[in-house]
Amino acid sequence: MNRGWDFCAIGGSESKFRTYHDLMAHKVRDILLISTPYDAWVMEEDCKLSERIVSEYRGLNLSHPPRLTWVSSVAEALAKLDERRYDLVIHMPQLQDMEDVNAGRAIKEKDPAMPIILLTHRDVNFPEGRPPWFDRHFVWSGDADLLVALVKLTEDAWNVDFDTRSIGIRVIIFVEDSPRYISSLLPILYKELVLQTQKVIEVGLNQEHRLLTMRARPKILLAETYEQAVQLFHTYEEFVQGVISDVRFPMNGSKDPEAGVRFLRQVKEHRQDIPLLMASNEPRNKGKAARLPAFFVDKNSPLLLADVQRFVSDQLGFGDFIFRRPDGTEIARAGSLYVLEKLMRVVPDDVFLRHCRDNDFSRWFFARTEFDLACKVRPLTEQDFTDVDNMRTYLVEDIGKRRKERQKGVIVNFNPKDFDPATDFMKIGEGSLGGKARGLAFLFALLDRAEDLETKFSGRMTISAPRTLTMATQCFDEFVTFNDLKYLADKDVEDGEVARIFELAEFPGWIREQLRAYLMEIEHPLAVRSSSLLEDAQFQAYAGLYSTFMLPNDHPDIDCRLDQLVHAVKMVFASTYFKAPKAFSRRVNLRTDEERMGVIIQEIVGERYGDYFYPAMGGVAQSYNYYPFGRMKPEEGVASVAMGLGKTVVDGEKCLRFSPRYPKVLPQCPTMEETLKNAQNTFFSLHMPGECTVKSFLEGENVVRRDVTEAEENGPLSMLASTYLPEQGILRDTAAVDGPKVMVFAPVLKHKAVPLAEVLGDVLEVAQEAMGGPVEIEFAVNMYADGRTPEFSLLQVRPMSALADLHQVTIEPEDMERAFCYSEHALGNAEKSDIRDIVYVRPDAFDAAKTEQIAREIGEINVRMVEQGRKYLLIGPGRWGSSDRWLGIPVGWADISGVSAIIETWCEELRVEPSQGSHFFHNITTLGINYVMVPQTGESRLDWDWITSIPAKRHGEFLAVAALDEPCTVKVDGRQSRCVMLPG
């Protein structure tokens, strides 16, 4: 299903930001400056004009600083114009030489559309008026800010028509006829406008969006006569955000001392809500301003800059929104939409109505480029509503809706002062997000684009992702550098000692304060997870190797909750230098000191049931099924689901596997006996005792394993389980009758109480299309007995990298005849001859009660194999890598880091289904380790006689190591999931 999406834009932004790409389309990129050699030298050597322009652009977050080209005469300028295109010509003639001034005419005659600016060292009064070939006249004072301002003024005039009509960009009309005052005030206005815009537009969003929304700042349009000012006002009246006007300027062809007063009065008559600023060098005009009314500034005052700043901030809406009583008394202020929404709910009616009548809300929204919201609010009056409460509710709901829309699919920079807790994805610090967080960021963007999913399942199931705060790698770098911990990258230190060192290390104060601000608003249970640079990367994923902690975050003392969170972050940092990831790094030929850690702080999906918190279901789904059953096809995908936290699935414990295409077909339930044996009987939940402890959660004691029957009284068991009726030997697809409960999820998969299988199928399809290959997702589901809409939450998405290169592997008939191992259930795709040893669990010595001892013995053998550089084949019963020692051998990555292929054999004591959704299997996929199952049924086989006939060079308590004279060959056909292993 091709939705025609532009996935290059995903991870990017919502449609609002994409429209900003079209704004300010015409830019001044090349300036031709005509001046004497002396002026050119002064500008370049003394003023360092080129450097200052670039510096000014960077400081104001403006893009594409223009390039300056100097010539010493108009004749040279004309020659340059023949060679290439310039956007703007600035002429600095010698005023005592009128021939030099008049020479500028030739440029206008050559290109009438070319803007030409006259730049002089002093204010000049031309008796006949400014020569007509000059479009503007400025006075040079040696300040690069002026050049930036005149460039921006030129660009604003070029772009104003399209930008106002397309999305409603605001306009500020500036009326002044004196070149000296224009040159003085314009840089102040532009700089203050840009700085104020930076503070407010898209507060907290990422750098890309700030740069884009800078294009949406108000434009300044300059008028030098009364007639020009009136024309600009009538042309752009609906877009005017403010007017700044001199008092004495030309009207009807001559200077009029009342021109400014008349113009401002005319504006006020048309639009009461437009803020006015009267700028004059005659203090007596302050009284005229008060009668309009208009804000007044004295152009000769040493406080001019501060006065202009105050007008832009307070009157044009760029500062905090200040709620005032009718007498002007301040009662509250808001710096963000979130705070405005909260305050708007509680301010007195008279204050609320006053701001509505004066259009203060819409002006504030316009300043923040919230054009749709501003335009919706602006025409509203109290007559449109039955009462004040209805009007207030309407505005609050609109603001809340916009708040949620504006940050969808966006990585928002965390702002501790006024962050919005409804924001989906926030970031602390600079640098990379890390692999897992990149996948989450992509996931949010994906959901933002997948509107058809939301529509399809509307009313049946909501599809979302839990709100997330990430700490970028800068936080890790500062912590490690400040505490001088980089030495741990290449030292062999036990995990417990590494954790102790990190626990005692000093945590950066600025990060701690940001986390405190976050916890002030968030009291939901939190998962603190790793996001290293390489974790969940496409071809070298470190899935499951680092620490994860779950915090109740429910204690009334914020210092307690903060201590817990800081300790959890430290321990995630510490896991960077644990033995398992170090072993993995060696396997993929990477140095541990190249690894850097980001951290994910994510709200846990679930509901509180008594003193425990967990979702109804958690699980993992893959778009490619390595072990299809019956009519299932590999490309139709597979899912594993369990009640409670998804730890049950990712740790390889008992759960239920099904294909989203065939949810009623359950391979692990062929008989009643198998169904009862394989069904989930325990689940994980987060204990929430309300205690202020750190040790318990660091050791994982607050994530507790419980019997499924404990969820019967007030948990979700009744919505998920079936009941076994032993006297009849059958299962009833309900939990409402007496009898043992069996977790086969019949109400969900068979009777579709929630459309889980359908949602999984669609989400996998969408994610696979977006990522360009097979994917794996982690998910959680909330279900409610009170009729609320069920919630499907996507927790993670990552590529299934084993299928990155399915080159053709051919298994010939003679291979099958000669093979000592043949399997129809093989993971991976490979043809290799690097195995020189076979390490196997001795069938005569295996004891299901001693799988932990077996794992330790394997680890000891692995150390020697790695030291000798010998790849080996590992053979043993049950589910490898399971955290449940009764399902298989609980090896970790450090125990098997030298393995090339693994065989899982059938065992009467450990009859279990494969666990494709576990982190163990994901890392096998990444490393190209082939995982081969030899079940009891079917054509698969393993020649134990041949294996045990090879002389053992080691014969341990549980294992034997057989050294081969020649390497054996392993062939795995990933397209058919078949494998043969051939003697050398």
Side-chain angles (χ1 to χ4, degrees), residues 47-60 62 119 138-153 182-192 194-195 305:
C47 298
K48 300 291 182 185
L49 192 58
S50 295
E51 294 178 17
R52 291 177 64 190
I53 291 173
V54 171
S55 174
E56 192 69 17
Y57 265 66
R58 288 174 179 166
L60 295 177
L62 302 173
L119 190 63
F138 294 92
V139 176
W140 176 247
S141 61
D143 189 352
D145 289 352
L146 175 61
L147 198 60
V148 173
L150 63 88
V151 167
K152 293 289 126 188
L153 185 71
I182 292 174
S183 302
S184 174
L185 279 172
L186 197 64
I188 293 174
L189 276 175
Y190 267 113
K191 192 159 190 173
E192 190 57 32
V194 169
L195 291 174
L305 176 58

Side-chain angles (χ1 to χ4, degrees), residues 74 91 93 97-107 126 131 133-134:
V74 171
H91 191 189
D97 183 356
M98 286 307 295
E99 288 188 13
D100 192 12
V101 176
N102 295 335
R105 182 203 305 266
I107 297 175
F126 293 98
W133 51 88
F134 293 118

